[in-house]
Amino acid sequence: MGAWSARHRKTAVFGWLLFVVLATVLGGMHGSTKVGDAEAMPGQVSRAAEILDRAGLASPSTETVLIQSAGLTADAPAFRTVVEQVITGVDATGRATDVRSPYETKAVSADGHSALVQLTVRGDHDEATRNVTAVVDAVAAVQQRHPDLTVVELGDASSGKWMDEQFADDFARAEWTAVPLALGILLVAFGALVAAVLPVVLALTAFVAAGGLVALSSGLLHTSNSAGSVMLLVGLAVGVDYCLFYLRREREERAAGRDLDTSLRIAAATSGRAVLVSGVTVVIAMAGMFLTGIAEFKAMAYATIVVVVTAVLGSLTVLPALLSMLGDRVDKGRVPFLRRLRRPDAATAGGTAGTGGRFWNAVLTPVLRRPLAATLLSGAVLLALAAPLLTMHTANLTFQQQLPKGNELVAVSQKIEAAFPGSPAPASVVIRATDIDSPAMTAAIADLKARALASGRMHGPVDITVHPEQNVATVDIPLNGSGNDEVSNAALRTLREDLVPATVLTVPGTEAPVTGRTAGSYDFNAKMTASMPVVFGFVVAFAFLLMLTSFRSLAVAGTAVVLNLLSVGAAYGVLTLVFQHGVGASLLGTAGVGAVESWVPLFLFVILFGLSMDYHVFVVSRIKEGRDRGLPTRAAISDGIRSTAGVVTSAAVIMVAVFAVFGTLSMQAMKQMGVGLAVAVLIDATIIRAVLLPAVMTLLGERNWYLPRWLAWLPDLSHGEAVPLPDAAPVAAAAPVAVPAPRLPQEQPHQARHRRIEV
């Protein structure tokens, strides 16, 4: 692919541009089909949404207006006047229905100083978020007329509107921050504007094209807002990294005295191959998310797979074509007085890369001298970081937990909960019956309400809404607890397992799934708990098989899996410590919320397992190259680590920077995802690749390359191919020529076949 692209430069470049434009235009014309409520959540929540959808009953967007006074009670005439003004103002907007007075619903606090006006905003979710603006303005107008009282609003539509707007703002901020940040790091790393811009441009075009492809196919596999964020996050990181691997190797070969065509062929055969293997690993890891059966995860997995495949395709085709076009002009735009973090390592005549820099020498020298001590020490550090994982608690974070500290909507929610203790979002029993108005069903619904209030785990007001034409009814029952704690979960289990079967389900031909925020969190966690072992097993098994096929070594494959598990475990531990227990959370502008977002651990696992292979494949491939050239294993390890140190450092800094940008966003889930990824990549590029990997490989010695005879049928995908010079190119004095090396006495026959020496 690399050689063809270099020979057909214009075809490759303009073909890529045409592909990006077509994908973007066609995707824009098609539009994105988003994940619906019925497929977004598993279990009874999904079934309840399906019943409402089939009945043509959109889940109502309910709102609550809190009227509160320190001096007046709800019975005072002045208090009643404010309540009437709220109801009149909301009705006048024409955007709300079923506006209910607290004097009818008995929604008055125990101390008598607070009351709730309840209403429903017209339209489905999207329409309701547009309509709620008029309702919020009407409530704000009442508040302005009565500054001595508290008149504030909160509900599904108002909070959904805020979150949609904040999500869009965060996404734009991440995009406009991450891209210049990556460009700045590359500019420092390369010291030349053209070389720095090239990876960023290719990564962005890959992201844009992938976005079009995802939209174009969203009719078959629905997408989501989260999928778009993840696609930007992963696409920018891997796109830049893949180009960086390729570009670094090409410049390194040029610095060794090779001509442009030969350098591109070597880069394609080595770094290009590493990019392909690591890309396939990311795809396999992300494919594991399909096993969860959760639509949101499927959307994120598919979007990530598309952007990674697109980035790999661009790195293996248009990048060598552009490098062939640019030649030495890739170093144009040098920034005066800007010192590079890492220069391309000048190769010696024997093909050995440079020393790797003072820092990496200072780290690697003692590691290779005392590999056992380095293994034990680094392993202990990683296990210590992973220890908080044992206390991890996952949950679908509530509205209050998701939003930043001090948010206005959080303050309103806290006031409502203080005046009306209990879960802010009720559980909803969606009843579908043969005859919803039959005496038996009417009695059963009344019995359900009575038993719920008598249970001590639920409280009023209990709202019953009957839709006789659709033979559907909903019974909204507030649960005790905060919404996702054990008190709320226990109340939900009582409702599902005891009360509903003993009442409405006794009527033949009836089904009654229980939905709501607490039910959604409970079902989601249950599904995640059941699917995680399957996903973990799938990803680990296929990653092992891919490494085994790529390196023809049991030890290399096993080491890759174990090291990746250690880095993921350490990231989990830090995540739990910061976001669950609050240690150091203030440094990130947040606080401990007592739980980790339920989808984050599984998402981090598949992403990190895939991305960690970037460095692992790149570094071990270089070690294998040295070993195939005839270097002893210890020397090959030293050479491979030192020669890739600059690339790994630059790539890791870019990934950590991009991921850290997401750690600064408003939403708690995005913070957790960004910080978890940044910490894991930082650990992976430092402790894992600089200390633990060389130490373990040094301890294993020649056993690194052990392959049982019964696996000899595996394909031999050589890492250190001798790339011939083009026929028309003059052979310079420094040009390498690959010749067979004499067999050394200690070599085995299969080792001698793969040995090369460059002279």
Side-chain angles (χ1 to χ4, degrees):
M1 293 175 72
W4 183 91
S5 299
R7 290 196 307 270
H8 304 84
R9 301 179 298 190
K10 291 184 179 180
T11 303
V13 172
F14 288 107
W16 174 260
L17 293 176
L18 180 62
F19 162 68
V20 173
V21 171
L22 283 177
T24 306
V25 171
L26 293 176
M29 292 172 61
H30 181 276
S32 295
T33 304
K34 299 295 180 65
V35 172
D37 292 340
E39 59 179 333
M41 299 297 290
Q44 290 192 29
V45 176
S46 175
R47 180 56 188 154
E50 186 178 351
I51 291 173
L52 293 175
D53 285 348
R54 288 185 177 180
L57 302 171
S59 298
S61 297
T62 58
E63 293 285 305
T64 299
V65 181
L66 171 68
I67 298 98
Q68 193 174 62
S69 173
L72 300 175
T73 63
D75 293 331
F79 196 104
R80 285 180 175 271
T81 298
V82 175
V83 171
E84 291 301 322
Q85 288 180 359
V86 169
I87 295 174
T88 302
V90 170
D91 275 333
T93 65
R95 306 296 175 88
T97 62
D98 195 22
V99 183
R100 290 168 289 172
S101 168
Y103 305 111
E104 298 173 4
T105 60
K106 309 300 181 186
V108 178
S109 63
D111 63 4
H113 290 279
S114 303
L116 297 178
V117 174
Q118 296 167 308
L119 59 102
T120 300
V121 182
R122 293 182 185 276
D124 56 15
H125 173 75
D126 292 336
E127 188 178 355
T129 54
R130 293 191 296 269
N131 288 335
V132 77
T133 302
V135 178
V136 171
D137 291 343
V139 173
V142 177
Q143 174 68 89
Q144 287 180 349
R145 291 197 298 270
H146 302 278
D148 52 327
L149 276 75
T150 297
V151 184
V152 289
E153 180 180 348
L154 180 68
D156 296 332
S158 56
S159 60
K161 180 177 182 294
W162 186 93
M163 294 185 76
D164 287 346
E165 292 175 350
Q166 192 63 42
F167 198 97
D169 291 343
D170 281 352
F171 185 84
R173 181 152 59 94
E175 187 174 356
W176 287 107
T177 305
V179 173
L181 193 59
L183 181 60
I185 295 169
L186 286 170
L187 191 60
V188 174
F190 284 116
L193 185 60
V194 175
V197 167
L198 203 58
V200 174
V201 170
L202 285 178
L204 286 177
T205 55
F207 165 70
V208 171
L213 294 176
V214 169
L216 194 60
S217 56
S218 63
L220 299 175
L221 186 62
H222 297 171
T223 187
S224 67
N225 289 332
S226 298
S229 292
V230 170
M231 190 164 60
L232 172 65
L233 181 79
V234 177
L236 186 59
V238 301
V240 170
D241 273 10
Y242 291 163
C243 294
L244 181 62
F245 291 167
Y246 207 106
L247 184 55
R248 279 283 197 173
R249 185 58 184 263
E250 184 270 342
R251 296 185 74 195
E252 187 178 309
E253 297 302 328
R254 291 285 282 158
R258 294 178 174 87
D259 62 83
L260 178 62
D261 191 39
T262 302
S263 298
L264 287 174
R265 293 191 185 194
I266 293 174
T270 53
S271 293
R273 180 188 177 284
V275 165
L276 184 62
V277 173
S278 63
V280 171
T281 308
V282 176
V283 168
I284 288 175
M286 294 306 301
M289 294 176 71
F290 283 96
L291 299 177
T292 62
I294 298 173
E296 187 77 25
F297 271 21
K298 291 179 182 179
M300 288 192 289
Y302 178 64
T304 305
I305 288 172
V306 172
V307 77
V308 169
V309 170
T310 308
V312 170
L313 182 64
S315 300
L316 300 184
T317 56
V318 70
L319 181 59
L322 287 172
L323 292 176
S324 179
M325 278 184 172
L326 291 170
D328 292 334
R329 287 173 294 178
V330 75
D331 289 324
K332 287 286 186 181
R334 292 185 179 276
V335 182
F337 311 113
L338 183 60
R339 189 173 183 178
R340 303 177 192 179
L341 288 179
R342 293 289 300 139
R343 296 186 304 272
D345 295 310
T348 66
T352 305
T355 60
R358 294 180 181 178
F359 173 77
W360 289 100
N361 278 329
V363 172
L364 194 59
T365 300
V367 167
L368 296 178
R369 187 180 297 126
R370 300 281 190 274
L372 181 59
T375 301
L376 294 176
L377 182 60
S378 57
V381 170
L382 291 174
L383 291 175
L385 289 174
L389 166 63
L390 300 175
T391 65
M392 179 183 283
H393 167 63
T394 60
N396 267 5
L397 299 182
T398 63
F399 182 74
Q400 291 186 20
Q401 292 171 318
Q402 281 282 13
L403 298 189
K405 196 175 180 181
N407 180 269
E408 182 179 343
L409 295 180
V410 172
V412 175
S413 177
Q414 290 171 343
K415 289 179 181 179
I416 294 176
E417 286 191 25
F420 300 89
S423 174
S428 182
V429 184
V430 179
I431 304 169
R432 188 185 67 83
T434 305
D435 183 4
I436 200 69
D437 284 332
S438 67
M441 180 55 68
T442 302
I445 293 175
D447 190 22
L448 172 62
K449 177 179 178 179
R451 293 194 185 202
L453 295 175
S455 68
R457 293 185 170 181
M458 295 151 238
H459 59 274
V462 176
D463 292 329
I464 302 172
T465 306
V466 179
H467 304 277
E469 293 182 0
Q470 292 86 1
N471 279 320
V472 171
T474 58
V475 182
D476 296 331
I477 306 173
L479 307 175
N480 292 346
S482 65
N484 66 354
D485 59 1
E486 184 51 39
V487 174
S488 296
N489 290 338
L492 176 68
R493 287 193 294 269
T494 299
L495 181 60
R496 280 180 168 177
E497 299 170 10
D498 299 333
L499 303 187
V500 170
T503 55
V504 293
L505 290 184
T506 59
V507 180
T510 302
E511 60 177 321
V514 179
T515 186
R517 292 184 189 175
T518 301
S521 177
Y522 185 86
D523 288 353
F524 193 90
N525 274 327
K527 184 70 174 177
M528 292 295 299
T529 302
S531 61
M532 281 185 76
V534 179
V535 176
F536 278 34
F538 172 85
V539 173
V540 169
F542 272 85
F544 177 84
L545 291 175
L546 184 62
M547 290 297 101
L548 181 63
T549 304
S550 299
F551 293 98
R552 291 176 58 84
S553 165
L554 281 176
V556 169
T559 301
V561 168
V562 172
L563 294 186
N564 281 347
L565 289 175
L566 282 174
S567 65
V568 171
Y572 280 0
V574 173
L575 200 66
T576 305
L577 199 64
V578 174
F579 292 101
Q580 182 174 321
H581 301 299
V583 178
S586 59
L587 300 176
L588 302 173
T590 185
V593 294
V596 174
E597 178 67 42
S598 53
W599 60 265
V600 169
L602 182 60
F603 176 79
L604 286 183
F605 176 81
V606 295
I607 287 286
L608 293 176
F609 220 87
L611 295 184
S612 295
M613 287 299 180
D614 276 3
Y615 305 132
H616 195 86
V617 170
F618 190 71
V619 173
V620 177
S621 293
R622 204 60 180 267
I623 294 172
K624 186 69 163 57
E625 280 186 54
R627 199 257 182 183
D628 287 346
R629 287 200 310 268
L631 291 176
T633 295
R634 183 184 290 261
I637 294 169
S638 176
D639 177 69
I641 298 291
R642 287 188 168 97
S643 62
T644 57
V647 185
V648 170
T649 301
S650 300
V653 169
I654 290 170
M655 274 201 181
V656 170
V658 171
F659 294 153
V661 168
F662 278 73
T664 66
L665 302 185
S666 304
M667 307 299 292
Q668 180 73 200
M670 292 293 107
K671 280 184 177 291
Q672 293 185 6
M673 181 182 71
V675 171
L677 288 171
V679 168
V681 170
L682 183 63
I683 291 171
D684 192 79
T686 53
I687 299 177
I688 297 289
R689 304 303 156 204
V691 180
L692 198 53
L693 174 64
V696 170
M697 292 191 74
T698 301
L699 288 175
L700 290 174
E702 288 302 314
R703 286 169 293 186
N704 280 297
W705 320 114
Y706 170 71
L707 185 72
R709 290 185 177 180
W710 57 273
L711 289 176
W713 56 269
L714 289 173
D716 184 5
L717 305 177
S718 180
H719 288 253
E721 294 96 334
V723 182
L725 290 171
D727 296 336
V731 181
V737 180
V739 297
R743 183 183 301 178
L744 301 180
Q746 69 271 23
E747 286 184 320
Q748 298 300 319
H750 74 277
Q751 292 175 319
R753 283 202 305 271
H754 296 292
R755 251 180 123 244
R756 298 288 186 271
I757 186 168
E758 291 179 344
V759 296

